[in-house]
Amino acid sequence: MNQHAQHAHQQPEQPLPQQQFTPAPPPKKKRTGLKITLGVVAGIVVVAAFASGGQDGGDGGDGGRAEAGDSAAAAPAEDKAKDQPKAAEAADAGSEKSQAEQFKAHVAKKGTPQQKEAVQHVTDVQGADKRNDVMDSAEIHTDYTGGMTGPHTGDGKLLASAFAGWRSSDNGLVTVYDADGEILSNGNY
């Protein structure tokens, strides 16, 4: 009974005080969706800027807007200057010369001494007369050997540069080949 009496006098066990837990703040959400969206928007703006920058409508890049200081006499002179390369291309296209002969004649007239030396190795030019300004491609065939790793890669670059001075396109690629049909160089025109 003693034991029972001792238990009777004891106070009932009280639960331990519970600690109050405050929930941790939720982790910060990464803003990858926002970053991706901003990246896409920036990319579209850059592409649009390049696309509109390349299409100036042939008016010298000012979109037909004349500055206040421009004179009326300056506009016809600018138009004539812009039309000269087109007139030269039309004259070249209408002549009986092959594309290779036309290209060689252009380089002989306007090329650098290095380009004049390199053009002596041109055997054929193809695709210079076909342009749509969307995806133009031309080929220059030479009697060089060795491909891109050979000793005439620099000559291939000179020929591609000379071609760009002869023909122009909004989106053209000229490829220079060696005698074995291997690529020497390429460039935009």
Side-chain angles (χ1 to χ4, degrees):
M1 210 159 96
N2 252 346
Q3 286 180 345
H4 187 57
Q6 283 181 341
H7 284 292
H9 293 296
Q10 286 183 354
Q11 295 180 350
E13 285 188 34
Q14 293 186 7
L16 295 174
Q18 292 189 1
Q19 294 180 349
Q20 299 244 338
F21 288 105
T22 54
K28 291 185 179 180
K29 292 182 181 179
K30 293 183 181 179
R31 294 186 175 194
T32 57
L34 179 62
K35 289 179 184 177
I36 291 172
T37 304
L38 290 175
V40 169
V41 170
I44 290 171
V45 169
V46 169
V47 169
F50 279 115
S52 67
Q55 298 177 359
D56 62 358
D59 59 1
D62 66 355
R65 296 176 304 273
E67 296 294 324
D70 288 348
S71 68
E78 289 175 6
D79 288 341
K80 288 178 185 176
K82 287 184 291 191
D83 291 338
Q84 285 176 350
K86 291 178 183 176
E89 287 179 17
D92 286 345
S95 69
E96 297 295 322
K97 293 181 181 179
S98 71
Q99 292 178 37
E101 291 169 337
Q102 293 173 28
F103 176 56
K104 287 179 179 183
H106 169 79
V107 173
K109 187 190 302 185
K110 296 188 178 187
T112 66
Q114 295 86 358
Q115 289 172 336
K116 290 176 183 178
E117 170 61 31
V119 82
Q120 299 304 315
H121 296 273
V122 172
T123 58
D124 191 25
V125 176
Q126 298 175 353
D129 58 345
K130 299 175 187 162
R131 292 190 318 273
N132 62 11
D133 289 334
V134 175
M135 180 110 178
D136 301 325
S137 70
E139 299 176 351
I140 300 173
H141 297 272
T142 68
D143 60 4
Y144 289 125
T145 58
M148 285 183 129
T149 59
H152 301 290
T153 303
D155 297 315
K157 290 192 181 297
L158 284 170
L159 291 171
S161 173
F163 188 90
W166 180 47
R167 294 289 192 237
S168 65
S169 168
D170 287 343
N171 190 24
L173 178 70
V174 59
T175 305
V176 182
Y177 294 96
D178 71 1
D180 298 326
E182 293 184 41
I183 295 176
L184 276 178
S185 181
N186 58 27
N188 295 326
Y189 70 95

